[in-house]
Amino acid sequence: MRNGAVIDAASSDPSVQGVRRFNELLASEPRVNATAIQTVGSKGYDGFAIAIVI
C-alpha cells in the first residue's frame, strides 16, 4: 500500500504512518478479524483492508 511504503516503519510520511496506525489498531482489537491485501495494477502498488467484528 502507498507504493509499498507502508512496510517502512521509519517513514515520516503522515499518510504512511496513518495506514500503519490503522493496521496496528485492527491487529490489537480482539473483537476484529482483519487482513490487509496488497494489489498491483496499472497505477502501481495499492491495497485494502477487510475487517469483520466477531
Side-chain angles (χ1 to χ4, degrees):
M1 294 183 217
R2 305 212 49 87
N3 283 330
V6 172
I7 194 135
D8 181 9
S11 173
S12 61
D13 181 333
S15 295
V16 169
Q17 290 303 315
V19 172
R20 291 182 60 82
R21 181 69 180 135
F22 173 76
N23 289 334
E24 290 166 2
L25 288 170
L26 278 179
S28 69
E29 176 53 64
R31 299 170 295 173
V32 173
N33 279 348
T35 189
I37 300 170
Q38 182 174 333
T39 60
V40 179
S42 61
K43 66 179 186 174
Y45 291 96
D46 204 351
F48 59 92
I50 297 175
I52 60 169
V53 177
I54 53 172

